[in-house]
Amino acid sequence: RHPRRKALSCWQLARRAELERRYVEGESWSRRAIEILESGPAERFGFIANAESVLGACLAGQGRQEEAEPLLVRRYQVQRRDLTVGNHNTIAAAQRLITFYETTGREDEADIWRLEYLREALRADPPDAASLNSAAWRIDLAAKLGRGRSSPHRCPLRLQ
């Protein structure tokens, strides 16, 4: 089997473990996917970034914020650069990053990334409707949950 296919299987198991909040298992599968990808042919298309984003979420789920934060930030930035802002993996990475800041009580930083994501969606040529809807939904949800600074009315964003 091709290394990327093996890594994909590991990533899928890691993603399922993350969704089911089995973070230790997700960490193990993520690390295995990364190991396979790093030992195989040259990596393209953000596969390692996907696996490291899931790894970051699993580390955060275990309370290991210091390890998780740089992975989540860097890997979202890599995916945003290498994939389109509307790519489902980029959207998932953005949501993991924003959720990380929300769950660690750092709402101001969550708002910064929320707005950055929205700006990127607006800059896409043509503007990416799925990304805009996702970002707007996240902003609206935060406002409904009573996080005042997340209100779309207070977002310093000019739509031009």
Side-chain angles (χ1 to χ4, degrees):
R1 251 172 103 171
H2 191 277
R4 196 169 292 138
R5 287 189 182 206
K6 290 180 189 175
L8 176 61
S9 296
C10 293
W11 178 83
Q12 289 170 330
L13 290 167
R15 180 72 180 117
R16 169 151 300 212
E18 175 203 6
L19 292 172
E20 295 174 356
R21 296 183 176 169
R22 293 180 286 120
Y23 298 120
V24 172
E25 183 180 339
E27 176 187 359
S28 177
W29 284 116
S30 293
R31 290 190 188 281
R32 179 71 180 127
I34 294 163
E35 177 184 300
I36 291 168
L37 289 166
E38 288 178 340
S39 67
E43 199 274 323
R44 297 178 307 174
F45 308 116
F47 291 119
I48 290 175
N50 287 337
E52 288 184 341
S53 178
V54 172
L55 174 60
C58 289
L59 292 171
Q62 296 175 60
R64 295 161 60 185
Q65 281 79 15
E66 297 80 27
E67 294 172 79
E69 184 175 11
L71 277 173
L72 292 167
V73 171
R74 276 195 317 264
R75 293 312 154 196
Y76 166 65
Q77 291 171 333
V78 165
Q79 287 178 296
R80 191 181 69 204
R81 182 193 69 217
D82 293 349
L83 306 172
T84 66
V85 71
N87 179 283
H88 65 282
N89 289 314
T90 305
I91 293 169
Q95 290 174 338
R96 284 186 198 104
L97 179 60
I98 291 165
T99 299
F100 170 79
Y101 287 118
E102 289 172 344
T103 59
T104 56
R106 295 159 64 187
E107 287 301 320
D108 289 342
E109 289 175 80
D111 287 345
I112 290 167
W113 286 105
R114 213 177 267 114
L115 290 173
E116 177 63 27
Y117 180 75
L118 185 55
R119 284 185 187 107
E120 287 294 319
L122 286 168
R123 276 188 225 132
D125 188 26
D128 189 285
S131 300
L132 289 170
N133 286 337
S134 177
W137 178 83
R138 296 289 295 195
I139 291 168
D140 186 53
L141 176 63
K144 285 178 182 170
L145 293 174
R147 299 182 186 133
R149 284 191 279 289
S150 297
S151 169
H153 305 292
R154 296 182 65 182
C155 294
L157 181 65
R158 287 175 284 150
L159 303 177
Q160 296 180 4

